Amino acid sequence: MTKKLLLAAAILVTRTGALNATSIPINLGPPRVTPFFGTSFKELDGVSLNGQSFSLNFVFTDNFVRLLPPGSFPHTGEDFDIALILDTNANGLPGFASGSGFIFDQAGNPLQPAERLGSAASSGGEIVLGLFPLSDGAPPDADFSGFHVNITLPDNPGFEITDEHLRLLGGHIHGFPSSEGQFGIGPHIPDNGSTFTLFAFALLALSATSKHRVRT
């Protein structure tokens, strides 16, 4: 039932913001708090690099992603990144793709304005696109059930997409004891920490510093 609701949400997003979008279901796995998630998908296999544009709805099936706000430990870095890596058979730099995107909730409502995607490419034939929800206005404690992207491929005739990867990266934070941002995968996200935990770590650090000064 949940999967059907999420697919319905993708249809709603398609109708309201992106006609003819291709829906790509993504299983995030068991509930946990983590700095990284990665998977592959095959919906773009064989697509040529002809400068064409298309729309994609990535729908999380039976689960969601929760951004963990500052003030708790762990929490999600502001540069939390949804990265799409498109492998191609180009001999060298394949060219740069462009596009825009946003995350959406279970009802299909955008949780941020549609923003321009970050873009990169490698001499190994990779095309990389990145969506940064927290940098683009998403709530710091958002639960999102998927994301939508509009993509324009580079115009590099004779080459095509051979493999595709999705990466969720928790970003970077500045604090003790870790500089690695994390995010939750629901439902029933484990409680891995709180403001009290972070405060306890701070007290331990201050105590150690005080003892060091006395001994010195």
Side-chain angles (χ1 to χ4, degrees):
M1 179 62 70
T2 302
K3 183 175 181 179
K4 291 181 179 179
L5 289 173
L6 292 177
L7 291 175
I11 293 172
L12 176 61
V13 173
T14 300
R15 289 177 176 174
T16 58
L19 295 176
N20 302 317
T22 298
S23 182
I24 301 176
I26 299 294
N27 188 338
L28 298 172
R32 62 195 185 279
V33 174
T34 180
F36 173 82
F37 169 80
T39 191
S40 298
F41 56 99
K42 298 294 184 182
E43 280 77 0
L44 302 182
D45 280 7
V47 173
S48 299
L49 305 183
N50 293 325
Q52 71 272 44
S53 298
F54 52 89
S55 298
L56 303 174
N57 288 327
F58 289 83
V59 185
F60 304 147
T61 58
D62 302 317
N63 40 27
F64 58 85
V65 170
R66 173 171 295 164
L67 302 178
L68 307 176
S72 63
F73 183 82
H75 68 262
T76 306
E78 187 174 348
D79 57 344
F80 170 81
D81 182 15
I82 301 172
L84 297 176
I85 300 97
L86 309 179
D87 295 330
T88 75
N89 60 353
N91 300 318
L93 198 69
F96 293 87
S98 61
S100 62
F102 57 84
I103 61 174
F104 55 80
D105 64 17
Q106 189 173 11
N109 301 308
L111 294 173
Q112 61 170 116
E115 295 290 347
R116 182 178 178 180
L117 302 176
S119 180
S122 77
S123 59
E126 287 184 334
I127 297 169
V128 183
L129 291 163
L131 175 62
F132 300 88
L134 287 173
S135 299
D136 295 330
D141 58 350
D143 290 348
F144 66 99
S145 296
F147 63 97
H148 169 80
V149 290
N150 295 313
I151 296 174
T152 299
L153 293 175
D155 190 5
N156 198 352
F159 299 108
E160 64 183 33
I161 297 172
T162 58
D163 202 5
E164 309 90 69
H165 310 277
L166 168 65
R167 303 284 187 266
L168 304 182
L169 307 170
H172 301 85
I173 58 177
H174 301 287
F176 183 84
S178 173
S179 61
E180 189 172 42
Q182 300 189 49
F183 55 93
I185 293 177
H188 312 303
I189 295 171
D191 183 8
N192 277 29
S194 64
T195 304
F196 176 78
T197 304
L198 187 59
F199 180 65
F201 276 121
L203 286 179
L204 288 173
L206 288 173
S207 175
T209 302
S210 299
K211 291 179 180 179
H212 176 72
R213 287 178 178 173
V214 170
R215 291 171 182 170
T216 303

